[in-house]
Amino acid sequence: MLQNILAPKTACLLIIGNEILSGRTQDTNTRTLALALNAHGIRLSEVRIIPDIEDHIVSTLNACRVHFDHVFTSGGIGPTHDDITAACVAKAFGTTLLLHAPSFTALEQHFGPERFNTARQRMAYLPDGATPIANPVSVAPGFTIGNVHVMAGVPKIFTAMVEEVVPNLPRGAALSMKGWHACGLREGDLAEALTRLQSEFSQTDLGSYPFDRPAVGKGVALIAKGYNAAEVEQAAQAVHDLILAQGQTPISGEPADHGAAT
């Protein structure tokens, strides 16, 4: 779904890190990127979480950069032994890491000569032909090469880099989203009617999201989203009427704390 011609550009996020796969660290960068891309009219079509293994990173990156208009990576560009993303990206593009002198100077000034050791100096090496992504939080740059945007995994830094990159990408129609919710709704009661609506509004994604919130009780939120704003409005009105037909009172939007687990 969401195959609207108004949003032709697609993106993939590669989350790189054993700490994500082990469960030690919880990913929050997907939501950050998705919201930024949606607002800019680029569709985040896929997210993959992969380990710190060179061959795996290189092969996945090469597959994704051909299939998607943009590839974003998160993680693996720090000073430690398992920060191998930059080298893997260089290998994927058939090039080598070169010292980026302005980044080296900025890092040296940031850490001071005594603390700017060999490990930290590694962060100033970028693939030949890459353009640095500014890092206003901790100076160490990300970089863009081709259609690949390589960013830090630390959420605060990742967010800052997203804010540096996404506004400068070609813009499409922003994602429109509107919906209703009601307590007392049950998915099984409205599934057939919702399927008919999805067929009617083919350029809009109709999502059904059960909730159980201490403050509001149990029910279902029905959300219309897509890149054709006029159709999203029409679909949302149809969803509103569907809730009324179920004998419930539609409430605009989603229930409070909708980001929590259902």
Side-chain angles (χ1 to χ4, degrees), residues 13-243:
L13 172 60
L14 303 181
I15 302 171
I16 302 169
N18 295 334
E19 69 276 10
I20 302 292
L21 290 168
S22 70
R24 181 201 175 277
T25 302
Q26 181 177 0
D27 166 60
T28 61
N29 292 335
T30 298
R31 186 171 189 269
T32 297
L33 181 62
L35 291 174
L37 291 177
N38 285 341
H40 202 70
I42 299 173
R43 185 168 66 249
L44 181 60
S45 300
E46 190 169 312
V47 178
R48 303 187 189 187
I49 304 175
I50 59 177
D52 299 305
I53 298 174
E54 179 180 297
D55 290 347
H56 199 144
I57 296 172
V58 171
S59 62
T60 302
L61 181 63
N62 277 333
C64 291
R65 68 190 181 96
V66 172
H67 188 68
F68 299 96
D69 295 300
H70 298 281
V71 178
F72 295 82
T73 76
S74 166
I77 60 171
T80 59
H81 71 282
D82 58 346
D83 289 316
I84 62 173
T85 299
C88 291
V89 173
K91 185 174 182 179
F93 278 84
T95 188
T96 58
L97 293 176
L98 295 179
L99 177 67
H100 185 257
S103 295
F104 187 94
T105 300
L107 284 163
E108 186 176 32
Q109 292 174 346
H110 176 72
F111 288 107
E114 293 183 357
R115 297 177 59 222
F116 191 42
N117 55 26
T118 302
R120 292 187 171 113
Q121 291 172 18
R122 289 180 59 222
M123 296 187 292
Y125 283 79
L126 309 180
D128 187 15
T131 302
I133 298 172
N135 173 3
V137 178
S138 60
V139 180
F143 59 87
T144 292
I145 181 169
N147 63 338
V148 177
H149 313 283
V150 178
M151 303 180 176
V154 177
K156 185 176 181 180
I157 303 175
F158 181 85
T159 299
M161 290 184 175
V162 167
E163 292 171 353
E164 291 284 337
V165 172
V166 172
N168 294 310
L169 298 176
R171 178 182 288 275
L175 181 72
S176 294
M177 188 179 308
K178 186 172 183 180
W180 304 85
H181 71 277
C183 294
L185 282 180
R186 295 293 182 266
E187 284 191 305
D189 296 332
L190 52 82
E192 186 175 345
L194 193 62
T195 298
R196 289 196 298 270
L197 287 182
Q198 183 63 89
S199 298
E200 181 179 348
F201 298 102
S202 60
Q203 296 185 34
T204 299
D205 181 20
L206 297 180
S208 174
Y209 307 102
F211 61 84
D212 185 356
R213 306 284 187 261
V216 296
K218 296 181 180 181
V220 176
L222 299 178
I223 308 299
K225 52 184 179 291
Y227 296 95
N228 183 328
E231 183 175 289
V232 168
E233 284 290 333
Q234 295 170 0
Q237 182 60 50
V239 163
H240 172 278
D241 296 343
L242 173 58
I243 294 174

